[in-house]
Amino acid sequence: VVVTGVDVTREAARVQRLERGHDDLRSELDAVLDRVTDAFYALDEEWRFTHVNEHAADILRRSEASLLGEHLWTEFPEAAEGVVRERFHEAMETQEAVTFELFYDPLDVWAEVTAYPSETGLSVYFRDVTERKERERALEASEARYRTLAETATDPILTADDEGTIRYANPAVRDVFGYDPDELVGESLATLMPDVSRIGGEGFDRFLDSHARWTDPSGVELSGVRIDGREIDLRVSFSDWTLDGARRF
């Protein structure tokens, strides 16, 4: 029997140091993912949870411990047949990130989701956007009510920016001024009311701030001009409001 041996003490020590370094790096990475403001979870190539941060656990209403190692489609079966499965598979097949929004009925949550694929799985970042979606729906409903009122009003209704450029005209402008409403969009209010451009030489912003009488609900008398050039007498009321941070009249 011939026995040979090789001293691997140094190699074993090096491997131990690498393993400790890997563990330290993994712990540091886990800590970073737990601190990110977005919810985050990671899946392996078999769709099993390998990491779930605190934000994700809160939104999913599950603990990290209850999800780690479990199958995504088993834990959330409603997602297995919808857009989540479709887009996640798309990301893995194309190896390109996907971003989408969805409403997840079991949790009554709107979420904005971004999934980043790799050869070993999927990293998923998402955020609860339920409040934003509710605000958007409320705004859409408000705009629909406003448009219905404006479109059916018998008096002309115009909106303009603080430079006096018309942004909207309702159908009633056709009866009073002779213009098609779409023709007026982008034109100056002075096209219809020449006196407006001569009020103190001021822009609309300063004009309305410094002339309270122009915002009197009873209105003020101005001269108007129809499309055929004929002058008409008007009683006009101005009011100001804000849209997307910009002032409108």
Side-chain angles (χ1 to χ4, degrees):
V1 177
V2 177
V3 178
T4 62
V6 178
D7 184 353
V8 295
T9 304
R10 291 184 177 180
E11 182 64 19
R14 188 179 72 84
V15 170
Q16 289 177 346
R17 287 196 300 273
L18 288 174
E19 289 176 345
R20 284 197 299 272
H22 179 271
D23 291 341
D24 291 343
L25 181 60
R26 178 57 186 267
S27 297
E28 184 177 344
L29 179 60
D30 288 346
V32 169
L33 292 174
D34 284 334
R35 289 195 299 268
V36 297
T37 55
D38 285 348
F40 169 83
Y41 62 80
L43 304 167
D44 63 19
E45 63 272 19
E46 296 180 352
W47 307 103
R48 298 186 183 278
F49 289 96
T50 60
H51 186 93
V52 181
N53 76 354
E54 183 178 343
H55 298 296
D58 288 342
I59 295 175
L60 297 175
R61 300 173 195 172
R62 301 283 295 277
S63 68
E64 178 184 4
S66 70
L67 290 175
L68 290 180
E70 300 299 327
H71 198 280
L72 171 65
W73 312 126
T74 300
E75 297 302 310
F76 300 96
E78 294 83 1
E81 302 301 327
V83 65
V84 177
R85 187 184 188 98
E86 177 184 333
R87 300 309 303 275
F88 281 8
H89 275 277
E90 176 188 338
M92 290 298 291
E93 290 169 4
T94 64
Q95 284 296 292
E96 294 182 357
V98 296
T99 298
F100 59 96
E101 285 187 355
L102 81 153
F103 178 73
Y104 190 63
D105 189 66
L107 299 178
D108 194 30
V109 167
W110 275 96
E112 182 181 81
V113 184
T114 301
Y116 298 93
S118 69
E119 294 181 357
T120 59
L122 205 62
S123 297
V124 181
Y125 295 83
F126 64 103
R127 62 183 64 184
D128 183 344
V129 294
T130 305
E131 290 187 6
R132 191 199 78 199
K133 297 295 286 189
E134 289 175 349
R135 288 195 301 270
E136 289 176 354
R137 286 201 297 268
L139 179 60
E140 289 171 359
S142 177
E143 288 177 344
R145 288 193 296 270
Y146 165 77
R147 183 166 291 277
T148 298
L149 290 172
E151 295 288 311
T152 57
T154 55
D155 291 330
I157 296 176
L158 303 161
T159 64
D161 59 24
D162 58 5
E163 298 297 325
T165 302
I166 297 171
R167 297 304 182 188
Y168 167 79
N170 75 339
V173 301
R174 184 182 293 108
D175 297 330
V176 175
F177 293 101
Y179 288 93
D180 186 87
D182 292 337
E183 288 183 83
L184 291 174
V185 175
E187 298 294 329
S188 171
L189 273 177
T191 302
L192 305 178
M193 293 169 278
D195 290 343
V196 167
S197 65
R198 297 196 296 269
I199 299 173
E202 299 173 326
F204 273 86
D205 192 35
R206 291 182 57 198
F207 153 58
L208 286 179
D209 282 340
S210 59
H211 295 79
R213 70 189 184 92
W214 295 97
T215 58
D216 187 328
S218 63
V220 293
E221 292 185 359
L222 293 175
S223 293
V225 179
R226 284 180 47 84
I227 192 172
D228 57 11
R230 180 165 58 90
E231 288 192 4
I232 54 177
D233 294 326
L234 303 172
R235 178 166 288 276
V236 183
S237 179
F238 293 92
S239 62
D240 65 310
W241 45 287
T242 301
L243 176 65
D244 296 331
R247 200 169 185 188
R248 297 286 187 268
F249 304 100

